[in-house]
Amino acid sequence: MPHTPPVPDSPPAALRLRIDRDALAANWRALDQLSGTAATAAAVKADAYGLGVDVAVPALLEAGCREFFVAHWNEVGAVLRYVAPEQVAVLHGPLTPADAAYARLTGVRPVVNSLAQARLWLEAGGGRCDLMVDTGINRLGLPLAELGDAAVGRLEIDVLHSHLASAEDDTSLNGMQLQRWNAARQQVQHRRASLANSAGIALGEAYHGDLTRPGLSLYGGVPCAALAAYIRQVVWPEAVVMQVRQLDAGESVGYNATFVAPAPMRIGVIALGYADGYLRCWSGGRGAVRSGERRLPVLGRVSMDMTVIDLAAAPELQEGDWVTVDYVLPDAAAASGLSQYELLTLLGRRFAR
Ligand SMILES: *Cc1c(COP(=O)(O)O)cnc(C)c1O
């Protein structure tokens, strides 16, 4: 039998994401400034890159953002609690008649990515939509050769999009995609045009069109050096020290005993593990937490729900104290081999947000 009456609220979590809403808002404003006369949207797919739509979307709205992009249809509901449907678009577009019907019911714009999607949308009754054209990433998007199709001509296109494959790199692909996107703008009727993700904004005015679509840099990611001066860290994972232990020389720590104490030492067990997105790549001292400025390295293997840290540099730390995980995105990416995108979107549901 289920627990009746209703299950009481959980006590506070031993794990939380401190999200600097001011930094998030400042990042949006900085990217908006860099976007010049173009409006600046926000990619809030994947639960706002793991931050949580409930935290990120209100902060972005307050900063002045008025356009939001998700990837899946099942991400729409969370955003519509804060934003009018005309301000939301779904990047994957309608894959099924049910998707198209949902778009019509809610008033959210589908981003049409192929002739099949265009026909599906028109058959469902159509209406305002966006169109994604492929200019070289070969992921989603209508091939340029199909732009003249009658179905495209019948679409009521708000934003004509394309997406850059390597905006963070200095490569000729950027210029080629820009040229193709500009050609597409000549070929199809549309209200607004959009090309740039975060790194694309740094490529300059020619890439801005009417609307830019940053994601990563809103949340503290720095995809290219040109943005480093403008972007602030937003996400600070924090965990409680659940237990403090004293090790004798020769004792080992964690699964497979990969760390052996060379001398007596004081260690802490924190409530953070790979189930929370703190992957095993941080094992063996690659990862660390901070207490103030002091760095407390990870000892041994990260396990599912726990990580062990060296308390030598912070002898006053006690059970119940909080530590901050070393997670400055560009540095953490370099240290772990994970991308800044992965580092954000990995952060799990057990963090209080
Ligand atoms: C995710 C996404 C973005 C945002 O990209 P960032 O690199 O995170 O700034 C923009 N446009 C499209 C089509 C996307 O899928």
Side-chain angles (χ1 to χ4, degrees):
M1 282 294 284
H3 184 289
T4 51
V7 180
D9 288 344
S10 312
L15 200 55
R16 63 190 180 208
L17 281 188
R18 183 159 58 81
I19 296 175
D20 185 340
R21 289 163 179 76
D22 293 340
L24 174 58
N27 289 345
W28 184 85
R29 285 193 296 263
L31 292 162
D32 189 44
Q33 279 266 298
L34 291 168
S35 297
T37 57
T40 304
V44 296
K45 60 199 183 191
D47 206 20
Y49 287 44
L51 274 72
V53 160
D54 293 329
V55 181
V57 169
L60 289 163
L61 276 169
E62 203 173 297
C65 184
R66 293 295 176 265
E67 303 268 349
F68 297 85
F69 289 90
V70 295
H72 286 259
W73 291 98
N74 65 11
E75 297 182 308
V76 166
V79 178
L80 287 187
R81 289 169 53 200
Y82 306 99
V83 179
E86 313 82 73
Q87 298 173 335
V88 181
V90 178
L91 291 164
H92 285 354
L95 302 172
T96 63
D99 291 345
Y102 183 80
R104 302 233 332 145
L105 197 65
T106 55
V108 165
R109 296 195 314 283
V111 179
V112 169
N113 289 287
S114 65
L115 285 183
Q117 288 197 352
R119 293 184 189 119
L120 189 65
W121 180 237
L122 291 166
E123 274 158 27
R128 218 159 63 106
C129 65
D130 290 1
L131 181 69
M132 172 69 71
V133 297
D134 174 55
T135 52
I137 194 169
N138 281 302
R139 210 176 52 168
L140 281 183
L142 192 76
L144 292 181
E146 294 176 358
L147 273 182
D149 192 279
V152 176
R154 290 171 55 212
L155 293 174
E156 216 178 290
I157 299 168
D158 181 353
V159 187
L160 177 67
H161 297 274
S162 193
H163 190 54
L164 297 166
S166 315
E168 63 275 35
D169 301 330
D170 182 11
T171 158
S172 59
L173 188 54
N174 291 325
M176 193 173 75
Q177 289 197 266
L178 174 64
Q179 209 169 35
R180 291 174 176 167
W181 173 68
N182 279 324
R185 292 168 75 177
Q186 304 303 313
Q187 278 182 67
V188 279
Q189 289 265 345
H190 60 281
R191 249 185 66 203
R192 302 179 287 169
S194 175
L195 177 64
N197 62 349
S198 299
I201 292 171
L203 292 175
E205 199 183 340
Y207 289 79
H208 296 164
D210 304 302
L211 183 70
T212 61
R213 308 184 306 264
L216 182 72
S217 293
L218 298 171
Y219 312 115
V222 182
C224 54
L227 290 179
Y230 300 96
I231 299 305
R232 285 161 55 183
Q233 175 85 0
V234 174
V235 178
W236 308 87
E238 297 178 336
V240 151
V241 178
M242 295 192 292
Q243 193 173 87
V244 173
R245 306 178 70 93
Q246 196 66 43
L247 290 187
D248 292 332
E251 285 195 279
S252 66
V253 167
Y255 283 123
N256 313 110
T258 59
F259 176 82
V260 179
M265 62 193 293
R266 194 164 169 268
I267 65 171
V269 184
I270 59 171
L272 168 71
Y274 59 74
D276 306 299
Y278 195 66
L279 301 189
R280 279 187 14 159
C281 62
W282 296 114
S283 300
R286 189 160 296 185
V289 303
R290 300 265 170 184
S291 176
E293 290 302 304
R294 296 164 305 178
R295 187 173 186 275
L296 314 175
V298 169
L299 299 175
R301 290 250 156 97
V302 172
S303 52
M304 186 183 294
D305 317 303
M306 288 177 246
T307 296
V308 174
I309 55 172
D310 184 353
L311 295 182
E316 85 294 353
L317 271 190
Q318 300 291 343
E319 292 171 4
D321 288 343
W322 287 83
V323 291
T324 303
V325 182
D326 235 354
Y327 218 72
V328 174
L329 291 172
D331 303 341
S336 65
L338 297 168
S339 73
Q340 297 177 57
Y341 298 86
E342 291 169 297
L343 288 168
L344 284 172
T345 55
L346 279 166
L347 297 169
R349 302 311 315 164
R350 294 195 297 197
F351 285 98
R353 285 165 167 85

